Every structure is written in C-alpha cells, then in structure tokens.
Amino acid sequence: SAVGRGPEVPFRSEAYRISAIARGKELRLTLSALDPAASTTPPQDLVFRFGMSGSFRLCPAAELPRHAHLRFLTRESPPRALCFVDPRRFGSWRLGDAWEPERGPCVVSEYEAFRRNVLKNLDDRAFDKPICEVLLNQKYFNGIGNYLRAEILYRLKIPPFEKARTVLEALKDQEQERRKKDPSLTLSKKVKLRQENPDLLELCHAVPMEVIMAEKQLFDPEHPDNYAAFKNWLQCYLVPGMSSLRDRSGRTIWFQGEPGPMAPKGEPRKTPRKKSPQLKADPEAPIPKVTPRALKQHHRAAANPLKSEEEEEEKEEEADKPRKGRAHRKRKVTAAPALPEPEVLLSVRRSRRISAHRGKGETGSL
C-alpha cells in the first residue's frame, strides 16, 4: 500500500507458498517459491504484530478492504488478495525470522517453558506490581492481553489489584506441596487435576485455547466485523454489571467484587446493565430557566466528552514493552457525564440573583 508504514518486501516469485507460525502476540510468515530451482529469490520471513485492529483477510483483488497495507495476490481468475488490514495502524511487520527478544515463552505453544519462566523469576521487581498489570508484561505473559486478563482473574475470583508476587508465590508453594504428597503422579493424572482445578498460570494457557478452538463459532469469516458470538463468550470483559478501574498504565480492567489492596484511589465505576430510557420533555410544560453558570458548565462538558472504551484501549501495544524514565500521572477513575441539552433540563438550581428577580416579579429567560 502507498500509505503502509512497513518496509518493502524484497520477494518476487511467479508461484509461491505462504506458511505461518505464531508465538504469543507475534506471527511469522514465510514466503517460499514452489520451484526453488527456478526462483532467483530466497525464502523471505516476515514477523507481524497486530496491535489493536490488525488482521488478515482473503478477498477479491478487485474489492480490497480499506487499510489493506500489505497484499499477497493469487494467480487464479479472478485473482484474490490475502491482505494485512489494520485500520488503526498500531500493527507492524519487520523483515527476518527473529522473534522480539524481550518477549518470553508463549502461553499457548510453550506452556511448560512459560510456567517455569514465571515461577523462577518471582524475585523480579516486576512482580511488585498488581497482578492485573503484571499479566500484560510480555516478558512473562507473552500473548495475554486486556480481555484475557479480565477473564482469567474473574474465573479465579482474584482481585485485580492484589500483589502479583503474593498470588504467584502461593502457586509455587502449592506445586511443591503437590509433588511431596504424590511424586509418582502420571502425566495423565496431572493433566486431569489441572483441568478440574486450574490455577492462574494454567488458565493463562486454557482460556486462550478456548478462543482458538472455538474460533469458527466465535468469529464469522464471512462477516469479520460481527463479534456477537465472541461477546456472548465473554464473562467479565465489557460485560454489563461488572466494575472497572484504570490501572497505572492507563488500561481499563474489568472485575467483580473488591479491587484489591493496591487499587488506585477512587471508586470503581459500574458498566451499566442496560441503557436508561431517554428523558422526554412535556411539550406543554413551561420552559425551564437555566442560570448562566449552568450553561457555562454544560458547554465546558460538551467540549470535553467522555472517551469511549475503544479510545481507552488504543494503547495496548505500548503496554507490552517496559516503560523507562517516564513519569506516571494519577488518573481519575470516574468522570462526570455531560449535562443534557437545556431544552430537556427539568430542574436546575436557581441562582440567588434569579431568585431575587422572581421576588420582584421579573422572569428569567434562556
């Protein structure tokens, strides 16, 4: 694409194959000619990060979707295009086969290595933070994102702002105790025990696997913008009735119950269970009087509308990397909603000046 930000791909072949392998939040594509002897171009590797909105779509070449930043064309008639689509442009690709070195083992494909990497490094200062923030640290939880951390903590009823080391050291102690009790447990019995009573690290593997295994049911390939089935699968993230708070990285965490001892100051806000009915003004009712002060507050609120949840989550990929030398400001948990239009205000506090005018028989006007 002329507006794509990624590097040019130096690969040319009349007929080639695309293979892929995933690790955490990264995907590596390998382009290789079907006839290596006839090709002058060696195989080419590309490593992708998807950001908030990146995806691949296969579509007719004549009907390319918007924001198709990289395209692989087929030779059939009519041709199709495999497109890397990224409306928000947080995604990226780079040349070469190397995974990002700061990312730890994948929670899905490298579970045992992932588990060992976490439990042997609990002395790291990273685990001084709340568990909800540590779950986004890709050095230890490569592949876990915002909706997954909410679902995992919700299933285990773990307060999101409990200290991470406190939560994970308990797993280490339980594992050692289990080995002492019965060191002769077979692998099948261990798997059965984990399935019946999974711990946090096991759910970091099991919950993503649920999404992967049910992908055809949760996502409609014919209608890639339809997330209805996926929303029905969610138990906590964005679910009405759940509470939410901003963590110290500016990310919103959804949860149920108490937030935990390391929660930021401020009351959690509740996700509304259903939309409240629109307030309708009586057409025969007298026009309410509004003070200049109320109008000023209304205009100020209208100029600074509340951010949508999508805007709150736009910095997901920035949270993947450690932040050094940056000051963090405390963020407010709740925000006051904008005032409704003056025409539907049914009760407004009168100022002393207007009250005085009423006493003289004068009337106020908008």
Side-chain angles (χ1 to χ4, degrees), residues 56-60 72 74 76 80-83 221:
F56 277 99
R57 295 188 190 181
L58 186 62
C59 59
F72 304 93
T74 68
E76 61 192 333
R80 290 184 295 170
L82 178 65
C83 304

Side-chain angles (χ1 to χ4, degrees), residues 147-148 151 155 206-235:
Y147 86 87
L148 286 172
E151 296 299 312
R155 294 190 188 191
V207 176
M209 284 300 298
E210 283 184 23
V211 181
I212 293 170
M213 299 304 292
E215 183 176 2
K216 291 182 179 180
Q217 288 75 37
L218 296 179
F219 302 102
D220 184 355
E222 299 297 327
H223 303 88
D225 296 323
N226 183 6
Y227 295 102
F230 176 67
K231 289 180 179 178
N232 291 334
W233 173 84
L234 294 170
Q235 299 180 32

Side-chain angles (χ1 to χ4, degrees), residues 120-133:
K120 76 178 182 181
N121 288 295
L122 292 181
D123 292 335
D124 191 327
R125 291 177 60 185
F127 295 98
D128 291 338
K129 297 180 179 180
I131 186 63
C132 67
E133 296 179 14

Side-chain angles (χ1 to χ4, degrees), residues 49-346:
R49 290 176 60 189
F50 292 89
M52 281 292 295
S53 60
S55 65
F56 277 99
R57 295 188 190 181
L58 186 62
C59 59
E63 301 174 12
L64 293 176
R66 293 184 62 191
H67 311 291
H69 299 305
L70 189 61
R71 308 148 190 175
F72 304 93
L73 301 177
T74 68
R75 296 188 65 186
E76 61 192 333
S77 182
R80 290 184 295 170
L82 178 65
C83 304
F84 176 64
V85 182
D86 186 18
R88 298 186 187 178
R89 300 192 189 184
F90 290 135
S92 64
W93 68 86
R94 62 183 182 273
L95 304 179
D97 62 351
W99 303 112
E100 192 173 35
E102 293 182 357
R103 293 178 180 267
C106 175
V107 297
V108 172
S109 61
E110 302 168 302
Y111 170 70
E112 293 297 339
F114 149 70
R115 188 179 184 94
R116 288 194 301 270
N117 185 46
V118 172
L119 294 180
K120 76 178 182 181
N121 288 295
L122 292 181
D123 292 335
D124 191 327
R125 291 177 60 185
F127 295 98
D128 291 338
K129 297 180 179 180
I131 186 63
C132 67
E133 296 179 14
V134 175
L135 284 174
L136 295 183
N137 186 335
Q138 302 299 294
K139 180 179 179 181
Y140 295 110
F141 294 88
N142 186 12
I144 300 299
N146 204 25
Y147 86 87
L148 286 172
R149 69 168 177 172
E151 296 299 312
I152 291 166
L153 295 175
Y154 170 78
R155 294 190 188 191
L156 295 173
K157 307 304 179 189
I158 295 175
F161 291 94
E162 185 66 62
K163 190 173 184 178
R165 187 177 291 108
T166 302
V167 175
L168 295 168
E169 279 184 342
L171 303 188
K172 194 173 183 179
D173 295 339
Q174 291 172 9
E175 194 167 90
Q176 292 174 349
E177 193 68 27
R178 188 186 300 172
R179 289 176 181 174
K180 289 179 181 179
K181 286 183 178 180
D182 194 351
S184 62
L185 279 177
T186 63
L187 179 60
S188 60
K189 289 183 178 179
K190 288 180 181 179
V191 171
K192 186 178 180 181
L193 284 174
R194 288 177 178 177
Q195 291 175 342
E196 293 174 350
N197 190 26
D199 60 32
L200 185 140
L201 297 181
E202 288 160 352
L203 281 188
C204 285
H205 170 78
V207 176
M209 284 300 298
E210 283 184 23
V211 181
I212 293 170
M213 299 304 292
E215 183 176 2
K216 291 182 179 180
Q217 288 75 37
L218 296 179
F219 302 102
D220 184 355
E222 299 297 327
H223 303 88
D225 296 323
N226 183 6
Y227 295 102
F230 176 67
K231 289 180 179 178
N232 291 334
W233 173 84
L234 294 170
Q235 299 180 32
C236 179
Y237 181 78
L238 286 175
V239 172
M242 295 295 166
S243 301
S244 64
L245 275 172
R246 290 278 194 96
D247 64 22
R248 288 165 182 81
S249 298
R251 307 294 307 287
T252 301
I253 175 70
W254 276 263
F255 61 95
Q256 187 179 54
E258 294 298 320
M262 299 182 73
K265 293 182 179 180
E267 290 295 323
R269 59 183 179 186
K270 284 277 189 180
T271 305
R273 292 188 177 275
K274 58 182 179 180
K275 292 184 179 180
S276 56
Q278 293 291 330
L279 187 62
K280 296 183 179 180
D282 184 354
E284 298 182 0
I287 297 176
K289 302 176 181 63
V290 183
T291 67
R293 180 180 179 183
L295 280 174
K296 186 176 181 181
Q297 290 176 344
H298 164 67
H299 292 307
R300 186 183 301 137
N304 298 281
L306 292 177
K307 292 184 178 179
S308 67
E309 295 301 342
E310 285 189 351
E311 290 173 328
E312 290 178 357
E313 302 305 321
E314 279 188 347
K315 296 184 179 180
E316 174 166 346
E317 290 303 308
E318 293 181 8
D320 287 350
K321 295 183 179 180
R323 300 186 176 191
K324 297 180 181 179
R326 296 181 63 180
H328 297 280
R329 294 182 298 173
K330 291 185 178 180
R331 296 172 179 263
K332 294 183 179 180
V333 177
T334 57
L339 290 173
E341 293 297 330
E343 288 77 11
V344 297
L345 285 172
L346 300 183

